[in-house]
Amino acid sequence: MVKFSREYEASIIPEWKAAFVDYKRLKKLIKKIKVARRDDESSFAAVSVAGDLAAAMPKKEDAGGGGGFGFSILDPEDEECPDTGVLVRSADKHEREFMERADEELEKVNAFYTGQESELLARGEALLEQLRILSEVKRILADHAAARRLARTRSLPLPQSPSGGSGRYLLSGLTSPQSMSDGSVELQAARVAEGAAVAEEVMAALERNGVSFVGIAGKGKAKDGGGGGGKGMRSSALQMPATVRIDIPATSPGRAALKVWEELVNVLRKDGGGGDPAAAFVHRKKIQHAEKNIRDAFMALYRGLELLKKFSSLNVKAFTKILKKFVKVSEQQRVTDLFSEKVKRSPFSSSDKLADEVECIFMKHFTGNDRKVAMKYLKPQQPRNTHMITFLVCSRPMSVASLLPLVTQPTWKSMFALISLHIFLYGCNLFMWKSTRINHNFIFDFSSNTALTHRDAYLMSASIMCTVVGALVINLFLKNAGIAYANALPGALLLLSTGVLFCPFDIFYRSTRYCFMRVLRNIIFSPFYKVLMADFFMADQLTSQIPLLRHMEFTACYFMAGSFKTHPYETCTSGQQYKHLAYVISFLPYFWRALQCLRRYLEEGRDINQLANAGKYVSAMIAAAVRFKYAATPTPFWVWMVIISSSGATIYQLYWDFVKDWGFLNPKSKNKWLRNELILKNKSIYYVSMLLNLALRLAWTESVMKIHISKAESRLLDFSLASLEIIRRGHWNFYRLENEHLNNVGKFRAVKTVPLPFRELETD
């Protein structure tokens, strides 16, 4: 049977660990009580035995009849000895300490639960308001779309949307501002009238849901002027979109362009275009995005309520278990019963049905009262642990195949070996993160039901190398048989790999493949996409895969130039274009990463740390350029330039690794030169990891050493250094995410906050 303390430690929410009952500390206090009572019992037994012996001994009286010579402190007359009271108080002291500590833990749990519950309730109320607004807007749009279709069937002069559907109109029922100049005056008047009617109705719906409108001149005129009320109301209706809108985060180029256009329209309206209802830049896509945001916010709220329920049940169980142990040791039944009643009356132990209410609301508005579909969103199933046998079967050929590229030409085999190694190390990262309860899915914002497990990563790595082994064996057989174009088989393998990556069918981890391609797109177009944790984490991986990118360049050149027909490997390595492209590839990942830092600098309120981080990647680009120049002209001057630039970049990178990314080298930390909070219990692992990172960061020194080796040995050395850099990156990944996880723990962030779409704009 598993002890409750182990089960409790394995079940607590890592981000809220500090708010849970300190079960271990209370258990230690109970052990102190047990030891103190055992000492008390032995002392009382000794006193009792000594008293019996003294009573059995004959009393000796002196000549004067006094009892002075044989007097003993254990005399029965001194039975009310204060020493026994001192012994009892020794045990009572520990019992009082336990009750005081338990009361402090109860107050801590209550305070945290109350704060979290109030935040979730406030979030729930805001979501209900957002849902009411969304329902009203959708109803109004549906009604007017139906009226528009009815009008078209009756051949009324109402315009049709360029996209063919009424939903592509703006909320005011209009198309883009350019289309306002097209058509007759009557058509434009019809558009304006319809837009005013829709805008007025939406405005009234929003006001009913608590959205106030300030700074609207037309509205004041409507209230003050009796005869001119109609004109004032039309003016206020047309100006409504400048006061309230659907806020869409500019996380992609399309949304950014949409937001810029909306701001431009609003500026033009302020400059004199106030009568243009096309400024109501709220169309069907924005409504759909708003609905998705509200749905995601309800999912996050439900998860928060479920975590709060788990927090409540675990703490109630912990108090129940520890009080049972206390009453068993101390025999203080009355005190224990009073404290148990206090626990039962506490806010965190009171059961509520908020999660059930959220579930009902979600089913009603987002899944059509289909509970099964709702549970797929609210409680996604965890993936089953599989593929262990497959990994064990494939691991042996994978280890053999990994050695093959070391003694062969630097083509496709090296590329696949590096990819397989990186995926394997990522699987090791996933295994360690899961073992240490680092919530990587929350940090990366991955869905728990589609995210990769370490077994999946192992299977992918093994499958890649098994496929490469199979292709290599077939290639050798074709060569021995004298078949023409035998070297075209690796090209077919590359095409197959590309086809699998872009395969639209739900096979071969489609969600992971699409996520990978989406992250790569975000990296390549870094200035135009919002930088998320997964984006810059993947960009950091690319900075360690520069040799892989060069292998990809060589492989593409090898097959596209038709070199595989005659085996001229030097065709793609001797040309100036190849060398220039290799130079670009050498600093391109650093360039993307620097752009991400600049984007974060602008988004995060001019955070100077982001500029400093960008400087680190700029120094790496300079060092790569100098080494490339040294490879072309190996003169003493460029040797010193390589040493200076690479040494500066290495010191910069080591500082950022240890201090910023890992959070180490804190002189005030309780763990010497580490950080206050550590997940691994053995501190020596951290020190060894720092030394290993330092050693692997100095791999560039090989480029300035005059090592006379053959071409095959040179390829072996290059592949070894590339593999060591990937190993260093996999090693870096664990500590980087550990530090990020502890930051989340420090802020008690266990559920992401989804931005709400409807908001009121500030007006002048």
Side-chain angles (χ1 to χ4, degrees):
M1 184 177 180
V2 181
K3 289 186 177 181
F4 173 74
S5 57
R6 293 181 183 177
E7 180 185 349
Y8 178 74
E9 289 293 328
S11 301
I12 61 177
I13 303 164
E15 291 80 6
W16 294 352
K17 184 176 181 180
F20 276 82
V21 178
D22 195 347
Y23 188 83
K24 284 186 176 180
R25 184 167 182 178
L26 294 177
K27 197 173 178 181
K28 288 180 181 179
L29 292 176
I30 287 179
K31 288 183 179 179
K32 287 184 179 180
I33 296 173
K34 189 175 182 179
V35 171
R37 291 186 71 86
R38 186 171 62 240
D39 293 343
D40 291 349
E41 289 174 1
S42 60
S43 300
F44 281 125
V47 170
S48 177
V49 170
D52 293 340
L53 291 174
M57 291 176 62
K59 295 182 180 180
K60 297 181 180 180
E61 299 179 357
D62 56 18
F69 181 77
F71 180 78
S72 173
I73 60 171
L74 301 176
D75 194 282
E77 294 180 1
D78 297 326
E79 207 167 357
E80 301 292 333
C81 182
D83 291 344
T84 60
V86 172
L87 290 173
V88 173
R89 284 195 296 273
S90 176
D92 289 344
K93 179 183 71 175
H94 293 297
E95 292 173 7
R96 284 195 299 270
E97 183 182 359
F98 172 84
M99 295 307 300
E100 290 173 359
R101 182 63 189 176
D103 198 58
E104 291 176 3
E105 293 293 321
L106 182 61
E107 291 180 1
K108 177 186 73 174
V109 172
N110 277 329
F112 180 80
Y113 181 88
T114 304
Q116 291 293 322
E117 186 181 40
S118 61
E119 288 182 11
L120 291 174
L121 286 175
R123 185 72 174 173
E125 292 176 0
L127 276 175
L128 288 177
E129 290 297 321
Q130 295 277 317
L131 193 59
R132 279 194 286 267
I133 294 173
L134 178 65
S135 300
E136 287 287 331
V137 173
K138 288 175 67 177
R139 181 189 62 80
I140 294 169
L141 290 177
D143 291 346
H144 282 268
R148 196 189 332 273
R149 286 193 297 269
L150 182 61
R152 283 201 299 266
T153 58
R154 296 179 180 179
S155 301
L156 291 179
L158 285 178
Q160 188 176 359
S161 168
S163 61
S166 60
R168 288 295 299 166
Y169 280 89
L170 303 180
L171 183 60
S172 58
L174 301 172
T175 56
S176 62
Q178 290 81 358
S179 66
M180 289 296 296
S181 60
D182 302 332
S184 63
V185 178
E186 290 78 7
L187 286 177
Q188 293 186 18
R191 292 176 179 177
V192 172
E194 186 184 8
V198 178
E200 183 177 350
E201 191 171 351
V202 171
M203 183 176 178
L206 294 174
E207 285 183 336
R208 286 197 300 272
N209 287 281
V211 179
S212 60
F213 296 89
V214 294
I216 299 179
K219 203 167 187 180
K221 293 178 183 178
K223 290 182 179 180
D224 297 337
K231 185 177 180 180
M233 284 301 294
R234 171 165 294 192
S235 175
S236 66
L238 296 179
Q239 291 187 8
M240 180 273 301
T243 308
V244 65
R245 71 180 181 197
I246 302 176
D247 191 22
I248 305 299
T251 57
S252 65
R255 292 177 186 171
L258 182 64
K259 198 164 188 177
V260 169
W261 173 248
E262 181 179 357
E263 295 295 337
L264 178 61
V265 169
N266 287 333
V267 169
L268 291 176
R269 289 186 69 260
K270 290 180 180 179
D271 292 339
D276 185 4
F281 212 79
V282 182
H283 50 70
R284 184 179 61 180
K285 282 193 174 181
K286 296 187 77 172
I287 294 294
Q288 291 174 350
H289 185 83
E291 185 173 7
K292 182 180 181 298
N293 268 21
I294 294 175
R295 185 195 68 188
D296 293 344
F298 266 105
M299 291 166 58
L301 176 65
Y302 185 83
R303 172 170 168 75
L305 292 172
E306 286 293 310
L307 291 177
L308 201 61
K309 186 188 295 185
K310 182 180 180 181
F311 176 83
S312 171
S313 62
L314 283 176
N315 281 291
V316 168
K317 194 173 182 179
F319 274 117
T320 303
K321 290 284 186 180
I322 205 68
L323 289 176
K324 284 183 179 179
K325 292 181 179 292
F326 174 72
V327 74
K328 184 178 179 180
V329 172
S330 66
E331 300 178 356
Q332 300 285 345
Q333 186 66 47
R334 183 173 177 275
V335 176
T336 306
D337 291 341
L338 291 175
F339 194 84
S340 297
E341 288 297 324
K342 187 176 180 181
V343 171
K344 291 179 182 178
R345 293 194 302 269
S346 297
F348 78 93
S349 62
S350 59
S351 60
D352 50 52
K353 298 183 179 180
L354 290 176
D356 297 336
E357 294 178 9
V358 172
E359 182 181 322
C360 293
I361 294 172
F362 190 88
M363 288 170 52
K364 178 181 177 182
H365 290 88
F366 299 104
T367 63
N369 290 323
D370 191 336
R371 178 179 172 79
K372 187 176 181 180
V373 176
M375 288 300 102
K376 288 183 180 180
Y377 285 104
L378 298 176
K379 291 184 178 180
Q381 296 294 324
Q382 297 293 330
R384 297 176 60 184
N385 293 329
T386 55
H387 309 313
M388 179 55 73
I389 297 177
T390 309
F391 167 65
L392 292 176
V393 171
C394 296
S395 59
R396 187 175 298 273
M398 181 188 70
S399 61
V400 175
S402 298
L403 299 176
L404 293 176
L406 303 181
V407 293
T408 55
Q409 297 289 352
T411 57
W412 54 278
K413 296 179 285 293
S414 298
M415 181 180 66
F416 280 108
L418 293 175
I419 293 174
S420 178
L421 177 61
H422 208 143
I423 295 176
F424 177 78
L425 290 173
Y426 179 66
C428 295
N429 290 145
L430 292 175
F431 175 76
M432 287 300 300
W433 291 333
K434 181 180 178 181
S435 301
T436 54
R437 305 197 69 201
I438 293 176
N439 196 352
H440 61 281
N441 286 335
F442 172 75
I443 294 173
F444 289 135
D445 197 15
F446 290 161
S447 175
S448 57
N449 59 333
T450 58
L452 282 183
T453 64
H454 62 280
R455 288 182 173 88
D456 295 323
Y458 292 155
L459 176 63
M460 292 172 64
S461 176
S463 300
I464 290 172
M465 290 313 302
C466 286
T467 305
V468 171
V469 169
L472 181 60
V473 171
I474 295 173
N475 188 28
L476 292 176
F477 276 119
L478 293 178
K479 281 185 176 181
N480 291 333
I483 297 177
Y485 304 129
N487 284 338
L489 183 63
L493 180 60
L494 289 175
L495 291 177
L496 176 63
S497 304
T498 306
V500 170
L501 182 62
F502 290 94
C503 179
F505 303 108
D506 193 7
I507 55 176
F508 303 125
Y509 306 103
R510 183 178 67 174
S511 59
T512 301
R513 290 187 285 108
Y514 281 16
C515 178
F516 173 74
M517 290 188 291
R518 185 170 59 251
V519 170
L520 283 183
R521 178 205 63 189
N522 295 350
I523 293 172
I524 295 172
F525 300 100
S526 294
F528 306 107
Y529 285 92
K530 182 179 177 63
V531 182
L532 304 177
M533 178 71 186
D535 298 335
F536 68 78
F537 191 83
M538 176 60 74
D540 281 327
Q541 309 305 305
L542 291 181
T543 59
S544 295
Q545 282 286 19
I546 292 176
L548 169 64
L549 298 178
R550 288 181 177 176
H551 281 304
M552 292 177 66
E553 176 204 7
F554 176 85
T555 304
C557 176
Y558 178 72
F559 287 104
M560 292 177 66
S563 301
F564 63 92
K565 300 176 183 178
T566 56
H567 308 281
Y569 289 100
E570 291 75 14
T571 302
C572 291
T573 57
S574 59
Q576 287 297 322
Q577 293 181 351
Y578 175 85
K579 293 180 179 179
H580 292 161
L581 188 57
Y583 168 70
V584 172
I585 289 176
S586 297
F587 73 83
L588 197 56
Y590 298 112
F591 176 71
W592 289 332
R593 191 66 186 88
L595 290 180
Q596 288 181 334
C597 293
L598 294 178
R599 165 99 188 207
R600 293 187 67 189
Y601 168 74
L602 297 175
E603 286 184 343
E604 298 178 7
R606 303 292 196 272
D607 185 5
I608 196 65
N609 286 324
Q610 297 301 330
L611 278 184
N613 198 12
K616 179 187 71 172
Y617 296 104
V618 171
S619 68
M621 284 190 284
I622 295 173
V626 172
R627 286 198 295 269
F628 183 83
K629 181 63 176 178
Y630 169 72
T633 56
T635 60
F637 171 77
W638 286 109
V639 170
W640 284 106
M641 291 300 296
V642 168
I643 293 174
I644 294 172
S645 61
S646 297
S647 298
T650 301
I651 294 172
Y652 205 157
Q653 292 164 353
L654 286 173
Y655 169 79
W656 207 269
D657 285 344
F658 295 150
V659 178
K660 298 296 183 179
D661 290 336
W662 294 1
F664 294 163
L665 299 182
N666 183 5
K668 299 180 180 178
S669 172
K670 61 182 181 182
N671 303 308
K672 191 173 181 179
W673 296 108
L674 298 177
R675 64 173 106 87
N676 290 329
E677 297 295 332
L678 300 174
I679 290 182
L680 300 179
K681 295 181 180 180
N682 191 351
K683 298 179 185 178
S684 61
I685 296 177
Y686 293 97
Y687 297 113
V688 172
S689 298
M690 294 171 69
L691 293 176
L692 181 62
N693 189 68
L694 170 62
L696 294 179
R697 279 288 190 187
L698 295 174
W700 59 267
T701 56
E702 177 271 337
S703 62
V704 296
M705 295 180 180
K706 297 295 183 179
I707 304 176
H708 299 285
I709 54 178
S710 64
K711 186 175 292 186
E713 291 172 340
S714 175
R715 297 191 188 110
L716 172 62
L717 180 61
D718 292 341
F719 184 84
S720 300
L721 292 176
S723 300
L724 288 175
E725 173 58 23
I726 295 174
I727 293 172
R728 188 200 67 81
R729 180 58 63 182
H731 174 259
W732 176 91
N733 290 344
F734 174 79
Y735 298 106
R736 177 65 183 88
L737 226 66
E738 179 195 24
N739 191 31
E740 186 71 21
H741 172 77
L742 292 175
N743 288 335
N744 288 334
V745 169
K747 298 176 183 177
F748 297 104
R749 294 185 300 182
V751 181
K752 66 177 181 179
T753 302
V754 180
L756 300 180
F758 297 104
R759 70 180 179 93
E760 183 180 356
L761 297 180
E762 296 179 0
T763 56
D764 297 332

